[in-house]
Amino acid sequence: MFGTTLNPHDPTRSAGGSSGGAACALATGMVPLAEGSDMGGSLRNPASFCGVVGLRPSWGRVPEWPSANMWEPTSTGGPMARTVDDLALLLSVLAGPDPRAPHALGDPGAAFGAPVVPASLAGLRVGLSADLDGAFAVDRSVRAVVEAAGVALAGAGAAVTGSIPDLTGADECFRTLRAWHFQARFGLQLAVHPTEFKSSLAANIRAGESLTGADVAVAFQRRTTLAHRMREYFADHDVLVLPVSQVPPFPADREFPDTVDGMPMDSYLDWMRSAYLITVTGCPAVSVPFGTTPDGLPVGVQIVARHGADRYLLEVAAAVEALAKSATRTAL
């Protein structure tokens, strides 16, 4: 409506999406707090691009009302802020049970309102991978920041390993559920106004038209399997650390990057696997700024915890936030 939102760290670059306006407003001091929604990374990606904090909460943590489909499991509301403490404060307002949303978790929002005490990193069991063992391509500058985070965590006493959960089927699960959701929500509008949707969105809506009931059932079965795998993974790990976005902020005049580390990106979704593979696990995930590219663009790390452990995740995020500041001072 008002032109392309630009990255506050470099106005030639993207602020990310879809909450790029919120992330830009936070980074520039226009607003103290912001709220958005996250399906494939719409909170996490712009937070990483703009150097702020963004949380995709556990599914059910933030009640959704009104909702066209309250059982739709891929999208959830969540907070964005400049610090983890501010993020927790906003989550205390957004979270909590709601009689209109039967899937909402029962913990009161006030549980998140107290100042966040950073978790001890000593002995923290961290699984860390820059690409989930080849599940997606990642830019070298992003990889370097994630690996630097691993070194810093280990230096602070964390037990860092390359162990990752089995996310087989997550890609197919997300793409099916996204297409199903988009077709149900926007299919009629696309039929009436076929030229008024951007091509990537229209293609995703049309992908939902050919889905069968069996396709959707398989996607939900895969999501159930993924949730069980993550539960088992977090029995032996406290958090999983990986990239938020596979790329640093790309030119603002492009819809999405054509390649990532030399690998062609055939669709709008291909460069977001690092975020949406986590989406379908139902686990909370937070983007925390940790470093920059050689030309000064922000790069966040994504920290994931078990479903329901949002407060604990924020405590770990606060510790990583402090560690990132310490690492920056050391580098200077």
Side-chain angles (χ1 to χ4, degrees), residues 38-49:
D38 187 300
M39 178 179 278
S42 290
L43 287 171
R44 292 166 286 167
N45 166 259
S48 178
F49 275 21

Side-chain angles (χ1 to χ4, degrees), residues 185-331:
R185 188 166 183 187
F186 304 117
L188 179 59
Q189 291 95 319
L190 179 63
V192 176
H193 306 284
T195 63
E196 296 182 29
F197 286 73
K198 69 177 184 177
S199 59
S200 58
L201 180 56
N204 206 217
I205 295 170
R206 292 189 176 106
E209 295 174 356
S210 61
L211 292 174
T212 66
D215 294 330
V216 177
V218 168
F220 275 100
Q221 289 166 353
R222 282 175 170 154
R223 191 174 187 275
T224 300
T225 298
L226 290 163
H228 285 307
R229 288 180 188 157
M230 294 301 281
R231 176 176 52 80
E232 293 172 347
Y233 178 80
F234 285 121
D236 300 316
H237 302 80
D238 297 312
V239 293
L240 171 67
V241 176
L242 69 158
V244 178
S245 305
Q246 293 158 231
V247 292
F250 49 83
D253 60 357
R254 289 160 57 185
E255 185 180 10
F256 61 90
D258 300 325
T259 62
V260 176
D261 195 33
M263 182 174 294
M265 299 289 106
D266 296 327
S267 76
Y268 180 79
L269 293 177
D270 290 351
W271 66 279
M272 297 188 292
R273 283 189 174 94
S274 54
Y276 74 64
L277 293 180
I278 300 302
T279 290
V280 289
T281 69
C283 294
V286 62
S287 172
V288 179
F290 201 87
T292 62
T293 64
D295 50 356
L297 295 172
V299 177
V301 294
Q302 182 174 196
I303 311 170
V304 186
R306 64 176 175 82
H307 181 265
D310 302 68
R311 178 72 191 188
Y312 175 71
L313 177 62
L314 293 178
E315 292 168 357
V316 174
V320 171
E321 180 181 60
L323 185 64
K325 293 177 181 177
S326 175
T328 301
R329 286 195 296 269
T330 300

